Amino acid sequence: MLVLGMLKRVVSGTTQSKAFGCWKLALPLRFLGSAPCRIPAEDSFHSTSFSEAEPPRVFITGGLGQLGAGLAGLLRRRFGKDNVILSDIKKPPAHVLHSGPFIYADILDYKKLREIVVNHRITWLFHYSALLSAVGEANVALARDVNITGLHNILDVAAEFNVRLFVPSTIGAFGATSPRNPAPDLCIQRPRTIYGVSKVHAELMGEYYHSRYGLDFRCLRYPGIISADSQPGGGTTDYAVQIFHDAAKKGTFECNLKASTRLPMMYISDCLRATLEVMEAPAERLSMRTYNISAMSFTPEELAQAILKHIPDFQITYCVDPLRQAIAESWPMKLDDSNARMDWGWKHDFDLPQLVATMLTFHGASTRFAQAN
Protein backbone atom coordinates (compact mmCIF):
# COMPACT_ATOMS: atom_id res chain seq x y z
CA MET A 1 0.00 0.00 0.00
CA LEU A 2 2.90 2.34 0.79
CA VAL A 3 4.38 1.74 -2.67
CA LEU A 4 0.98 2.27 -4.32
CA GLY A 5 0.58 5.58 -2.50
CA MET A 6 3.98 6.76 -3.62
CA LEU A 7 3.15 5.85 -7.24
CA LYS A 8 -0.10 7.81 -7.06
CA ARG A 9 1.76 10.89 -5.82
CA VAL A 10 4.34 10.60 -8.61
CA VAL A 11 1.62 10.24 -11.28
CA SER A 12 -0.26 13.17 -9.79
CA GLY A 13 2.85 15.37 -9.85
CA THR A 14 3.60 14.44 -13.45
CA THR A 15 0.07 15.27 -14.55
CA GLN A 16 0.25 18.63 -12.80
CA SER A 17 3.51 19.52 -14.53
CA LYS A 18 1.89 18.76 -17.89
CA ALA A 19 -1.08 20.98 -17.17
CA PHE A 20 0.66 23.96 -15.60
CA GLY A 21 4.32 23.75 -16.62
CA CYS A 22 6.22 22.99 -19.76
CA TRP A 23 8.41 20.12 -20.88
CA LYS A 24 12.03 21.08 -20.32
CA LEU A 25 13.15 18.66 -23.03
CA ALA A 26 11.25 20.61 -25.70
CA LEU A 27 14.51 22.32 -26.70
CA PRO A 28 18.10 21.23 -27.29
CA LEU A 29 20.01 20.79 -24.06
CA ARG A 30 22.40 23.67 -24.69
CA PHE A 31 19.73 26.29 -24.04
CA LEU A 32 17.65 24.58 -21.36
CA GLY A 33 16.92 26.97 -18.53
CA SER A 34 17.54 30.08 -20.62
CA ALA A 35 14.53 29.72 -22.91
CA PRO A 36 10.98 30.72 -21.96
CA CYS A 37 8.23 28.13 -21.55
CA ARG A 38 7.49 26.98 -25.12
CA ILE A 39 4.19 25.99 -26.69
CA PRO A 40 4.26 22.43 -28.07
CA ALA A 41 5.41 22.26 -31.68
CA GLU A 42 1.98 21.42 -33.10
CA ASP A 43 0.50 24.60 -31.58
CA SER A 44 3.29 26.95 -32.76
CA PHE A 45 3.43 25.57 -36.31
CA HIS A 46 2.77 28.97 -37.93
CA SER A 47 4.13 31.20 -35.19
CA THR A 48 6.29 34.24 -35.90
CA SER A 49 8.38 36.29 -33.50
CA PHE A 50 7.26 39.73 -34.64
CA SER A 51 4.13 41.70 -35.30
CA GLU A 52 3.21 41.75 -38.99
CA ALA A 53 2.55 45.49 -38.57
CA GLU A 54 6.24 46.06 -37.75
CA PRO A 55 9.22 45.53 -40.07
CA PRO A 56 11.43 42.56 -39.20
CA ARG A 57 14.81 43.03 -37.57
CA VAL A 58 17.18 41.17 -39.88
CA PHE A 59 20.58 39.54 -39.26
CA ILE A 60 22.63 38.18 -42.20
CA THR A 61 25.62 35.89 -41.64
CA GLY A 62 28.34 35.48 -44.26
CA GLY A 63 27.36 38.88 -45.58
CA LEU A 64 30.47 39.52 -47.69
CA GLY A 65 29.87 36.54 -49.95
CA GLN A 66 28.20 36.64 -53.35
CA LEU A 67 24.66 37.22 -52.05
CA GLY A 68 24.85 38.90 -48.65
CA ALA A 69 25.42 42.55 -49.59
CA GLY A 70 22.87 42.40 -52.41
CA LEU A 71 20.27 40.88 -50.11
CA ALA A 72 21.01 43.52 -47.47
CA GLY A 73 20.42 46.25 -50.04
CA LEU A 74 17.09 44.76 -51.09
CA LEU A 75 15.91 44.31 -47.50
CA ARG A 76 17.06 47.78 -46.46
CA ARG A 77 15.06 49.36 -49.25
CA ARG A 78 12.02 47.44 -48.07
CA PHE A 79 12.36 47.54 -44.27
CA GLY A 80 14.70 50.47 -43.58
CA LYS A 81 18.49 50.67 -43.41
CA ASP A 82 18.83 50.29 -39.65
CA ASN A 83 16.66 47.16 -39.53
CA VAL A 84 19.13 45.02 -41.51
CA ILE A 85 22.47 44.01 -39.96
CA LEU A 86 25.15 42.53 -42.20
CA SER A 87 27.93 40.44 -40.65
CA ASP A 88 31.06 38.49 -41.53
CA ILE A 89 34.51 37.69 -40.14
CA LYS A 90 36.28 39.69 -42.84
CA LYS A 91 36.92 43.42 -43.08
CA PRO A 92 34.17 45.02 -45.18
CA PRO A 93 34.95 47.32 -48.10
CA ALA A 94 34.10 50.98 -47.58
CA HIS A 95 30.92 50.95 -49.65
CA VAL A 96 29.52 48.05 -47.61
CA LEU A 97 30.53 49.61 -44.30
CA HIS A 98 28.82 52.89 -45.17
CA SER A 99 25.66 51.37 -46.63
CA GLY A 100 24.23 50.19 -43.31
CA PRO A 101 24.94 48.40 -40.01
CA PHE A 102 27.83 45.90 -40.16
CA ILE A 103 29.18 43.81 -37.29
CA TYR A 104 31.77 41.08 -36.78
CA ALA A 105 30.12 37.71 -36.18
CA ASP A 106 31.74 34.27 -36.10
CA ILE A 107 29.08 31.58 -36.48
CA LEU A 108 31.26 29.18 -34.48
CA ASP A 109 30.91 31.49 -31.44
CA TYR A 110 27.55 30.40 -30.05
CA LYS A 111 27.53 32.86 -27.15
CA LYS A 112 28.22 35.81 -29.47
CA LEU A 113 25.37 34.77 -31.77
CA ARG A 114 22.96 34.78 -28.83
CA GLU A 115 24.16 38.24 -27.80
CA ILE A 116 23.57 39.60 -31.30
CA VAL A 117 20.04 38.21 -31.52
CA VAL A 118 19.15 39.54 -28.07
CA ASN A 119 20.85 42.94 -28.26
CA HIS A 120 19.54 43.75 -31.74
CA ARG A 121 16.08 42.18 -31.23
CA ILE A 122 16.50 39.98 -34.33
CA THR A 123 13.33 38.43 -35.81
CA TRP A 124 14.62 37.23 -39.22
CA LEU A 125 17.94 35.46 -39.77
CA PHE A 126 19.54 34.69 -43.16
CA HIS A 127 22.38 32.20 -42.78
CA TYR A 128 24.78 32.54 -45.74
CA SER A 129 28.05 31.52 -44.09
CA ALA A 130 29.40 28.46 -45.94
CA LEU A 131 32.37 27.07 -47.87
CA LEU A 132 31.35 26.33 -51.45
CA SER A 133 31.86 23.12 -53.42
CA ALA A 134 35.39 23.25 -54.85
CA VAL A 135 36.80 25.22 -51.90
CA GLY A 136 35.18 22.81 -49.45
CA GLU A 137 36.81 19.80 -51.11
CA ALA A 138 40.19 21.49 -50.68
CA ASN A 139 39.62 21.91 -46.93
CA VAL A 140 37.10 19.37 -45.68
CA ALA A 141 37.79 19.96 -41.98
CA LEU A 142 37.09 23.67 -42.24
CA ALA A 143 34.01 23.05 -44.40
CA ARG A 144 32.69 20.64 -41.79
CA ASP A 145 33.16 23.21 -39.03
CA VAL A 146 31.63 26.12 -40.93
CA ASN A 147 28.87 24.31 -42.82
CA ILE A 148 27.74 21.88 -40.11
CA THR A 149 28.84 23.08 -36.66
CA GLY A 150 28.01 26.67 -37.59
CA LEU A 151 24.58 25.58 -38.79
CA HIS A 152 23.88 23.85 -35.48
CA ASN A 153 24.65 27.09 -33.63
CA ILE A 154 22.31 29.04 -35.90
CA LEU A 155 19.49 26.50 -35.54
CA ASP A 156 19.72 26.51 -31.76
CA VAL A 157 19.77 30.30 -31.49
CA ALA A 158 16.86 30.65 -33.92
CA ALA A 159 14.79 28.06 -32.06
CA GLU A 160 15.56 29.57 -28.67
CA PHE A 161 14.46 33.07 -29.64
CA ASN A 162 11.70 32.13 -32.10
CA VAL A 163 13.47 33.70 -35.10
CA ARG A 164 12.30 33.08 -38.67
CA LEU A 165 15.29 31.37 -40.30
CA PHE A 166 16.35 31.16 -43.93
CA VAL A 167 19.16 28.79 -44.94
CA PRO A 168 20.02 28.50 -48.64
CA SER A 169 20.54 25.10 -50.19
CA THR A 170 21.89 24.27 -53.62
CA ILE A 171 21.87 21.98 -56.64
CA GLY A 172 24.91 20.47 -54.87
CA ALA A 173 22.49 18.78 -52.46
CA PHE A 174 21.69 16.30 -55.24
CA GLY A 175 23.98 13.49 -56.35
CA ALA A 176 24.74 11.19 -59.25
CA THR A 177 21.78 8.93 -58.38
CA SER A 178 19.29 11.83 -58.28
CA PRO A 179 17.07 12.54 -61.29
CA ARG A 180 18.95 15.09 -63.40
CA ASN A 181 16.54 16.40 -66.01
CA PRO A 182 14.63 17.63 -64.13
CA ALA A 183 15.36 17.11 -60.42
CA PRO A 184 12.15 17.34 -58.34
CA ASP A 185 11.86 18.77 -54.83
CA LEU A 186 11.68 15.30 -53.28
CA CYS A 187 13.96 12.58 -54.59
CA ILE A 188 17.09 10.59 -53.76
CA GLN A 189 19.88 12.86 -52.54
CA ARG A 190 23.33 11.29 -52.27
CA PRO A 191 25.88 14.08 -52.83
CA ARG A 192 29.59 13.27 -52.93
CA THR A 193 31.00 16.61 -51.74
CA ILE A 194 31.22 17.95 -48.20
CA TYR A 195 29.35 21.01 -49.44
CA GLY A 196 26.48 18.90 -50.76
CA VAL A 197 26.40 16.66 -47.70
CA SER A 198 26.28 19.69 -45.41
CA LYS A 199 23.39 21.18 -47.40
CA VAL A 200 21.32 17.99 -47.22
CA HIS A 201 22.07 18.01 -43.51
CA ALA A 202 20.86 21.62 -43.29
CA GLU A 203 17.62 20.83 -45.13
CA LEU A 204 16.81 17.88 -42.89
CA MET A 205 17.83 19.57 -39.64
CA GLY A 206 15.74 22.62 -40.53
CA GLU A 207 12.71 20.46 -41.22
CA TYR A 208 13.32 18.55 -37.99
CA TYR A 209 13.55 21.75 -35.93
CA HIS A 210 10.36 22.95 -37.61
CA SER A 211 8.39 19.84 -36.67
CA ARG A 212 10.05 19.29 -33.27
CA TYR A 213 10.36 22.84 -31.91
CA GLY A 214 8.10 24.93 -34.15
CA LEU A 215 11.02 26.76 -35.78
CA ASP A 216 9.88 28.80 -38.80
CA PHE A 217 12.53 27.39 -41.13
CA ARG A 218 12.54 28.23 -44.85
CA CYS A 219 14.96 27.05 -47.51
CA LEU A 220 15.50 27.40 -51.27
CA ARG A 221 17.71 25.22 -53.42
CA TYR A 222 19.58 27.76 -55.52
CA PRO A 223 20.88 26.96 -58.98
CA GLY A 224 24.18 28.55 -60.05
CA ILE A 225 23.89 32.26 -59.22
CA ILE A 226 25.34 34.81 -61.65
CA SER A 227 26.08 38.32 -60.41
CA ALA A 228 27.91 41.21 -62.00
CA ASP A 229 29.34 43.00 -58.98
CA SER A 230 31.01 40.10 -57.17
CA GLN A 231 34.01 37.88 -57.76
CA PRO A 232 33.69 34.09 -58.16
CA GLY A 233 33.73 32.38 -54.79
CA GLY A 234 35.06 28.90 -55.55
CA GLY A 235 31.87 27.22 -56.72
CA THR A 236 31.60 24.82 -59.64
CA THR A 237 29.12 27.06 -61.46
CA ASP A 238 31.33 30.13 -61.06
CA TYR A 239 32.66 29.77 -64.60
CA ALA A 240 29.42 31.50 -65.61
CA VAL A 241 30.49 34.55 -63.57
CA GLN A 242 34.16 34.62 -64.57
CA ILE A 243 33.36 34.33 -68.28
CA PHE A 244 31.83 37.82 -68.28
CA HIS A 245 34.81 39.38 -66.50
CA ASP A 246 37.21 37.85 -69.04
CA ALA A 247 35.01 38.52 -72.07
CA ALA A 248 34.80 42.21 -71.25
CA LYS A 249 38.48 42.64 -70.35
CA LYS A 250 40.34 40.21 -72.62
CA GLY A 251 37.87 38.90 -75.18
CA THR A 252 38.87 35.32 -74.28
CA PHE A 253 37.97 32.80 -71.61
CA GLU A 254 39.36 29.41 -70.56
CA CYS A 255 36.57 27.22 -69.19
CA ASN A 256 37.24 24.49 -66.61
CA LEU A 257 34.12 22.49 -67.58
CA LYS A 258 33.33 20.61 -70.76
CA ALA A 259 31.49 22.55 -73.45
CA SER A 260 28.43 20.31 -73.14
CA THR A 261 28.02 20.51 -69.33
CA ARG A 262 24.45 21.67 -68.73
CA LEU A 263 23.59 23.23 -65.36
CA PRO A 264 20.69 25.32 -64.03
CA MET A 265 21.48 29.02 -63.54
CA MET A 266 19.84 32.21 -62.29
CA TYR A 267 20.59 35.94 -62.33
CA ILE A 268 21.17 37.37 -58.86
CA SER A 269 18.21 39.77 -58.84
CA ASP A 270 15.83 36.83 -59.39
CA CYS A 271 17.57 34.91 -56.62
CA LEU A 272 17.33 37.73 -54.09
CA ARG A 273 13.71 38.44 -54.96
CA ALA A 274 12.82 34.74 -54.56
CA THR A 275 14.50 34.73 -51.15
CA LEU A 276 12.48 37.71 -49.95
CA GLU A 277 9.25 36.33 -51.42
CA VAL A 278 9.54 32.96 -49.68
CA MET A 279 10.33 34.69 -46.38
CA GLU A 280 7.27 36.92 -46.72
CA ALA A 281 4.96 34.13 -47.87
CA PRO A 282 2.19 33.25 -45.38
CA ALA A 283 3.11 30.04 -43.61
CA GLU A 284 -0.18 28.40 -44.59
CA ARG A 285 0.82 28.63 -48.27
CA LEU A 286 4.00 26.62 -47.77
CA SER A 287 3.46 22.92 -48.42
CA MET A 288 7.12 22.17 -47.70
CA ARG A 289 10.11 23.80 -46.06
CA THR A 290 12.66 23.34 -48.87
CA TYR A 291 11.87 24.36 -52.46
CA ASN A 292 13.68 24.19 -55.79
CA ILE A 293 13.80 27.45 -57.73
CA SER A 294 15.05 27.83 -61.28
CA ALA A 295 15.20 30.25 -64.20
CA MET A 296 17.32 28.89 -67.08
CA SER A 297 19.63 26.03 -67.96
CA PHE A 298 22.58 26.21 -70.37
CA THR A 299 26.01 24.82 -71.27
CA PRO A 300 29.31 26.74 -71.53
CA GLU A 301 29.04 26.43 -75.30
CA GLU A 302 25.53 27.94 -75.34
CA LEU A 303 26.64 30.75 -73.05
CA ALA A 304 29.62 31.49 -75.30
CA GLN A 305 27.35 31.61 -78.36
CA ALA A 306 25.12 34.13 -76.59
CA ILE A 307 28.15 36.29 -75.77
CA LEU A 308 29.34 36.12 -79.39
CA LYS A 309 26.18 37.96 -80.43
CA HIS A 310 27.52 40.93 -78.46
CA ILE A 311 31.29 40.47 -78.82
CA PRO A 312 31.89 38.96 -82.29
CA ASP A 313 35.59 38.24 -81.69
CA PHE A 314 35.08 36.51 -78.32
CA GLN A 315 36.91 33.18 -78.03
CA ILE A 316 36.43 30.36 -75.54
CA THR A 317 38.84 27.48 -74.90
CA TYR A 318 38.52 24.49 -72.58
CA CYS A 319 40.92 23.14 -69.96
CA VAL A 320 38.76 20.76 -67.96
CA ASP A 321 39.30 20.51 -64.21
CA PRO A 322 38.54 16.84 -63.34
CA LEU A 323 37.34 17.73 -59.83
CA ARG A 324 34.90 20.39 -60.95
CA GLN A 325 33.75 18.32 -63.91
CA ALA A 326 32.98 15.34 -61.68
CA ILE A 327 31.02 17.59 -59.33
CA ALA A 328 29.05 19.15 -62.20
CA GLU A 329 28.17 15.77 -63.67
CA SER A 330 26.65 14.72 -60.35
CA TRP A 331 24.34 17.75 -60.28
CA PRO A 332 20.99 18.27 -62.04
CA MET A 333 20.85 19.70 -65.54
CA LYS A 334 17.53 21.30 -64.68
CA LEU A 335 15.43 21.86 -61.55
CA ASP A 336 11.69 21.27 -61.30
CA ASP A 337 10.41 24.32 -59.39
CA SER A 338 6.69 23.80 -60.06
CA ASN A 339 5.88 23.64 -56.33
CA ALA A 340 7.44 27.05 -55.68
CA ARG A 341 5.51 28.52 -58.62
CA MET A 342 2.26 26.99 -57.39
CA ASP A 343 2.58 27.54 -53.62
CA TRP A 344 3.90 31.09 -53.35
CA GLY A 345 3.89 32.42 -56.89
CA TRP A 346 7.57 32.17 -57.83
CA LYS A 347 8.32 33.52 -61.33
CA HIS A 348 11.72 34.40 -62.82
CA ASP A 349 12.38 37.56 -64.87
CA PHE A 350 15.74 36.84 -66.54
CA ASP A 351 16.35 34.33 -69.33
CA LEU A 352 19.69 33.74 -71.10
CA PRO A 353 19.58 36.67 -73.60
CA GLN A 354 18.60 39.14 -70.85
CA LEU A 355 21.28 37.74 -68.54
CA VAL A 356 24.06 38.16 -71.13
CA ALA A 357 23.01 41.68 -72.11
CA THR A 358 22.80 42.77 -68.47
CA MET A 359 26.17 41.28 -67.48
CA LEU A 360 28.07 42.70 -70.44
CA THR A 361 26.50 46.12 -70.01
CA PHE A 362 27.56 46.14 -66.37
CA HIS A 363 31.13 45.28 -67.33
CA GLY A 364 31.21 48.01 -69.96
CA ALA A 365 31.65 45.72 -72.95
CA SER A 366 30.95 47.41 -76.28
CA THR A 367 28.36 45.26 -78.02
CA ARG A 368 26.64 45.09 -81.33
CA PHE A 369 23.39 44.65 -79.42
CA ALA A 370 23.83 47.99 -77.63
CA GLN A 371 24.78 49.76 -80.87
CA ALA A 372 21.80 48.34 -82.72
CA ASN A 373 19.45 49.56 -80.00
Side-chain angles (χ1 to χ4, degrees):
M1 294 297 293
L2 178 61
V3 173
L4 181 60
M6 292 175 64
L7 287 175
K8 287 182 177 179
R9 286 194 296 272
V10 169
V11 171
S12 174
T14 302
T15 303
Q16 185 177 12
S17 67
K18 285 184 182 179
F20 301 102
C22 65
W23 291 104
K24 285 191 174 182
L25 291 180
L27 291 171
L29 292 176
R30 81 156 93 194
F31 50 76
L32 285 179
S34 62
C37 179
R38 294 182 63 84
I39 301 171
E42 61 269 22
D43 293 332
S44 59
F45 191 82
H46 294 156
S47 66
T48 61
S49 57
F50 64 96
S51 168
E52 296 295 343
E54 299 176 356
R57 293 279 297 171
V58 180
F59 175 42
I60 303 173
T61 70
L64 297 183
Q66 183 186 22
L67 299 175
L71 179 65
L74 176 65
L75 297 177
R76 283 166 178 165
R77 288 190 295 272
R78 187 167 185 85
F79 301 125
K81 183 175 76 170
D82 293 335
N83 285 320
V84 180
I85 299 171
L86 202 61
S87 75
D88 211 306
I89 59 173
K90 298 181 291 185
K91 184 178 180 180
H95 73 276
V96 172
L97 185 61
H98 297 145
S99 63
F102 182 92
I103 61 175
Y104 175 93
D106 183 351
I107 61 168
L108 298 179
D109 187 343
Y110 176 72
K111 181 179 178 181
K112 180 65 175 179
L113 291 175
R114 295 181 77 247
E115 289 178 359
I116 291 170
V117 170
V118 170
N119 291 343
H120 296 279
R121 299 180 296 109
I122 299 301
T123 55
W124 281 14
L125 200 162
F126 294 83
H127 178 50
Y128 278 107
S129 295
L131 264 66
L132 302 183
S133 55
V135 174
E137 291 306 291
N139 194 337
V140 173
L142 180 60
R144 184 181 61 233
D145 286 344
V146 173
N147 295 7
I148 296 179
T149 303
L151 169 77
H152 291 177
N153 290 341
I154 292 294
L155 285 169
D156 285 351
V157 169
E160 178 180 3
F161 296 106
N162 199 23
V163 173
R164 181 174 294 181
L165 175 62
F166 177 85
V167 179
S169 190
T170 167
I171 54 174
F174 298 101
T177 54
S178 304
R180 298 191 66 215
N181 192 21
D185 286 305
L186 300 176
C187 65
I188 294 173
Q189 293 176 257
R190 290 293 184 271
R192 289 293 181 265
T193 66
I194 186 62
Y195 178 58
V197 168
S198 68
K199 287 302 183 181
V200 174
H201 179 77
E203 294 175 12
L204 295 177
M205 287 295 291
E207 292 177 14
Y208 173 75
Y209 269 60
H210 171 68
S211 63
R212 181 68 175 85
Y213 306 122
L215 174 64
D216 192 349
F217 172 82
R218 304 181 184 207
C219 176
L220 297 178
R221 291 194 190 105
Y222 291 156
I225 304 302
I226 302 173
S227 57
D229 58 350
S230 65
Q231 294 295 321
T236 300
T237 59
D238 278 350
Y239 86 88
V241 177
Q242 188 65 48
I243 193 172
F244 292 103
H245 290 269
D246 291 1
K249 293 178 181 178
K250 303 184 296 183
T252 63
F253 175 66
E254 183 177 89
C255 185
N256 53 31
L257 295 180
K258 293 179 181 178
S260 59
T261 307
R262 183 174 299 279
L263 291 168
M265 300 284 185
M266 178 178 289
Y267 186 56
I268 188 169
S269 65
D270 277 343
C271 173
L272 299 179
R273 180 171 53 81
T275 302
L276 175 58
E277 286 177 0
V278 77
M279 282 292 277
E280 289 189 318
E284 59 270 15
R285 293 183 61 182
L286 303 180
S287 63
M288 56 187 66
R289 289 286 138 180
T290 299
Y291 288 91
N292 292 340
I293 55 169
S294 190
M296 66 194 89
S297 183
F298 55 76
T299 68
E301 183 177 21
E302 291 169 348
L303 179 55
Q305 289 298 317
I307 292 174
L308 275 168
K309 295 178 181 179
H310 299 261
I311 307 177
D313 58 349
F314 174 69
Q315 294 181 350
I316 185 170
T317 57
Y318 297 91
C319 182
V320 177
D321 178 350
L323 173 61
R324 281 180 166 83
Q325 186 64 39
I327 292 172
E329 290 177 356
S330 71
W331 288 356
M333 293 185 284
K334 184 178 180 181
L335 292 175
D336 176 1
D337 60 357
S338 56
N339 285 315
R341 294 176 185 268
M342 177 175 61
D343 285 2
W344 45 276
W346 160 241
K347 182 180 180 181
H348 70 277
D349 288 335
F350 283 78
D351 57 15
L352 180 56
Q354 292 170 308
L355 166 73
V356 171
T358 301
M359 291 290 289
L360 291 178
T361 299
F362 180 90
H363 287 292
S366 177
T367 71
R368 288 188 302 178
F369 176 85
Q371 294 167 358
N373 287 273

